[in-house]
Amino acid sequence: MINAVPKAFWDELLSELGADAIDHSPATIADYGANLMPSGDRMPGGVLYPASTAQVQQMVQAANRHRVAIWPISTGRNVGIGEKSPVREGQVVMHLGRRMNHIHEIDETLCFAEIDPGVTFRQLYDELGRRGHRLMMSSTSGPTDGSLVGNAIDKGAGYTPYFDHFGMTCGLEVVLGDGRILRTADGASPGAKTWHLVKYGFGPFLDGLFVQSNFGIVTRAGLWLMPRPPVIRCFIFSFPDDDDFGEIVDLIRPLKLNNFVPTLFKVTNDVYSLGTVETYPYGRTGGKTPLPDEVRGELRRQHGIGSWTVSGAFYGDSEETIRPLIERVRKHFERSGKARYTSHEQALESRIFKIHVDTFSGTPTEEEMPLHEWRPGGGSIWFLPSTPMVGSIANQHQRMSRSILARYGFEFITEYVCTGRVSRALHPLIFNRQDPDEARRAAECYRALMQAYAEAGYPISRAPIEVQEEAMARLQVTPEVCRDLKRALDPNGVIAPGKYGIV
Ligand code: ADP
């Protein structure tokens, strides 16, 4: 059982680690408690800034002695999922990214990096650039100052062939809740030179325990990188109608199941694209929400987009080798009679389309961030269900989301990121958090979406802090197994109790 943070905890850390390592001033607490959730900010008990794995260990040991709960973050730029704020009020945020943000190694032969939890997408990109861009990383389309480690262990993803960010980590260093330091896979073998090369190593694969969990604090990671292809060429198709989505999904599936197209496919809807360059047109709708179809149509025409934007990319050693591949994909999509093609060069001239080129090129971009300001008042909560790559099911899903969102006064904003078998739907619910009625509707709408998808047999893959406990409570046996693991690895429950519903 965790109590309020005792003064002795702060005094001890102050004398052992110095004033740079702690801050529990009211201004800092307010800053770290802020988030974009409907239910409001969640104030931490203070903030810790460790400078090394040894300091993380000291802090965890002190937390055990004083029964203090710690909420670890790398950079806390998990926008629409919880930002820096803890799952429960009063937990002490451990902000690893402030001082643990070094790139320890980049191996350009075997193509991996060893990084601290605070290394950001932009930082690694810049360092790879300084070395001549021989290697390419996979980036999200989220904030460029978010961390690679935080994103990977929260099951974030990108768009290039290395899109599976956790899958591309190899070898973690973790401070467990009981204070032990674990190096996973070959890292457990003293002097091993293969820590970041051999993913599974000897014995059980422990890395997975630290994903969306609260058994330990990740203090270092190996990350695989891809040799940067000399030429990258993106292709984009626009489809005019909402119900074209089913056909799009059926067209994508064969191209991804055999990896003819090496990147993932993005299928972005009109409002998601519009939200990167426009805000909600209250003037045109006379203050009415959700967005009427006529106004949505007008905005689409104005910005030269369809109901759906489908994109992917090819990599090669020259334009000549890529051209026939693009021709093949064009034939495939244009068979439908509805697809309108936009070339890589044309895409570079459009703010809306350039985001696709950047993300398929492993280039961090801030251009998608304005989407969070589609409606005023700074509310954003992301719903992330999975949709099988079967057109009829995909169309049922988009119709279900559209009608639930409309019922609560919100428009459908989505991007489906497609592999061959399943797509992850990113449904950001953007709402006016300053308007109590709209915030209440956002919370209810989120739960209605979660309920409808669960009943239809499609659980979510990632949850904002606000619904993590509810989402875990829907599962069978997993909550009990997680509780057993928690007891074994963090017997005093000092790391993020309640995170992903694990207590
Ligand atoms: P990002 O740095 O990518 O913005 P966050 O810092 O917001 O990611 O963290 C995302 C999620 O992962 C949060 O639930 C957070 O508690 C968890 N997390 C982030 N970094 C660590 C870490 N180094 N060790 C353990 N959990 C972490």
Side-chain angles (χ1 to χ4, degrees):
M1 185 62 198
I2 297 291
N3 306 309
V5 186
K7 182 170 174 301
F9 174 74
W10 298 120
D11 291 347
E12 195 177 304
L13 290 180
L14 182 65
S15 78
E16 279 178 16
L17 304 175
D20 290 348
I22 62 172
D23 188 344
H24 49 99
S25 65
T28 299
I29 286 177
D31 179 29
Y32 279 78
N35 64 46
L36 310 179
M37 301 286 112
S39 64
D41 296 346
R42 296 181 182 205
M43 295 305 149
V47 184
L48 302 170
Y49 302 109
S52 63
T53 301
Q55 288 199 2
V56 172
Q57 185 181 39
Q58 273 177 282
M59 289 170 174
V60 168
Q61 286 165 343
N64 272 282
R65 278 194 295 281
H66 297 282
R67 298 290 194 270
V68 168
I70 289 176
W71 175 259
I73 59 167
S74 288
T75 62
R77 295 288 285 131
N78 214 357
V79 181
I81 307 277
E83 293 73 30
K84 299 196 202 73
S85 84
V87 70
R88 292 184 184 167
E89 293 241 329
Q91 297 183 345
V92 173
V93 174
M94 179 185 278
H95 184 179
L96 293 134
R98 169 73 71 90
R99 296 163 81 197
M100 294 175 72
N101 51 26
H102 302 291
I103 299 169
H104 293 279
E105 181 184 1
I106 293 181
D107 185 316
E108 294 195 344
T109 308
L110 294 170
C111 300
F112 70 86
E114 183 180 302
I115 57 172
D116 270 349
V119 173
T120 67
F121 288 96
R122 167 61 55 191
Q123 182 186 353
L124 183 59
Y125 181 80
D126 288 348
E127 179 57 28
L128 295 176
R130 213 182 51 74
R131 292 161 179 252
H133 279 306
R134 281 192 289 277
L135 297 181
M136 178 165 91
M137 60 190 272
S138 169
S139 178
T140 66
S141 51
T144 57
D145 58 353
S147 75
L148 294 137
V149 168
N151 183 262
I153 64 174
D154 205 49
K155 299 191 192 159
Y159 307 94
T160 71
Y162 281 38
F163 69 91
D164 175 1
H165 290 174
F166 171 68
M168 290 300 153
T169 65
C170 182
L172 304 178
E173 178 185 79
V174 187
V175 176
L176 301 175
D178 62 13
R180 279 178 295 176
I181 298 174
L182 170 73
R183 287 191 166 195
T184 62
D186 280 12
S189 183
K193 308 248 181 339
T194 47
W195 188 22
H196 302 311
L197 302 177
V198 178
K199 193 157 167 74
Y200 303 113
F202 180 85
F205 178 63
L206 298 179
D207 302 50
L209 288 177
F210 305 104
V211 176
Q212 291 188 350
S213 72
N214 55 10
F215 307 133
I217 298 170
V218 177
T219 50
R220 206 173 275 208
L223 182 72
W224 288 345
L225 301 163
M226 184 175 141
R228 178 169 280 278
V231 179
I232 298 172
R233 279 291 170 273
C234 205
F235 54 82
I236 291 178
F237 298 100
S238 303
F239 283 76
D241 299 317
D242 294 347
D243 276 352
D244 292 339
F245 184 51
E247 185 173 1
I248 294 169
V249 162
D250 287 331
L251 285 167
I252 290 174
R253 188 182 57 251
L255 301 182
K256 265 322 295 173
L257 279 172
N258 62 11
N259 274 338
F260 175 70
V261 173
T263 63
L264 298 189
F265 273 85
K266 300 213 264 187
V267 185
T268 311
N269 92 328
D270 45 11
V271 187
Y272 194 106
S273 293
L274 293 167
T276 61
V277 291
E278 290 271 2
T279 54
Y280 190 94
Y282 288 99
R284 284 199 207 184
T285 69
K288 192 176 152 215
T289 58
L291 190 65
D293 279 346
E294 321 81 74
V295 183
R296 184 158 68 101
E298 278 168 27
L299 286 170
R300 279 207 305 243
R301 281 189 289 283
Q302 187 184 324
H303 288 279
I305 58 167
S307 180
W308 298 101
T309 300
V310 180
S311 64
F314 284 107
Y315 302 137
D317 55 359
S318 68
E319 295 224 19
E320 288 67 47
T321 52
I322 294 178
R323 199 168 299 127
L325 303 175
I326 300 249
E327 285 309 315
R328 236 179 105 182
V329 166
R330 274 191 78 168
K331 259 200 208 119
H332 183 73
F333 277 94
E334 287 171 354
R335 249 191 353 219
S336 72
K338 294 189 105 178
R340 182 165 51 82
Y341 172 68
T342 300
S343 71
H344 182 99
E345 286 70 23
Q346 289 164 324
L348 289 174
E349 279 156 29
S350 147
R351 254 177 79 198
I352 287 179
F353 290 156
K354 184 171 176 297
I355 296 169
H356 300 256
V357 176
D358 284 337
T359 49
F360 289 126
S361 311
T363 307
T365 170
E366 287 288 333
E367 295 290 321
E368 205 168 282
M369 295 311 288
L371 178 56
H372 295 273
E373 284 143 40
W374 168 248
R375 291 203 187 184
S380 175
I381 180 167
W382 287 56
F383 179 64
L384 302 143
S386 303
T387 295
M389 290 296 287
V390 173
S392 54
I393 302 174
N395 253 350
Q396 278 165 17
H397 281 198
Q398 59 118 356
R399 289 185 200 130
M400 177 163 79
S401 292
R402 250 180 238 285
S403 81
I404 293 172
L405 284 152
R407 203 182 323 138
Y408 290 90
F410 298 104
E411 45 284 329
F412 183 51
I413 308 179
T414 196
E415 178 165 279
Y416 289 89
V417 188
C418 307
T419 68
R421 293 184 178 80
V422 76
S423 72
R424 178 185 275 188
L426 315 175
H427 285 16
L429 213 168
I430 311 295
F431 61 98
N432 185 347
R433 199 166 176 255
Q434 308 307 323
D435 175 342
D437 174 59
E438 197 164 313
R440 180 190 52 77
R441 280 189 282 116
E444 286 175 10
C445 181
Y446 193 98
R447 284 168 178 84
L449 284 165
M450 199 158 81
Q451 179 71 19
Y453 273 82
E455 276 170 11
Y458 303 99
I460 55 173
S461 59
R462 204 174 169 191
I465 50 170
E466 170 147 334
V467 294
Q468 288 180 356
E469 301 204 25
E470 287 166 58
M472 182 59 101
R474 289 174 178 276
L475 309 184
Q476 290 176 357
V477 185
T478 294
E480 291 142 44
V481 173
C482 287
R483 213 173 299 139
D484 292 345
L485 289 166
K486 183 74 175 161
R487 223 173 273 137
L489 302 178
D490 182 11
N492 293 319
V494 298
I495 299 180
K499 181 176 167 195
Y500 273 91
I502 306 169
V503 284

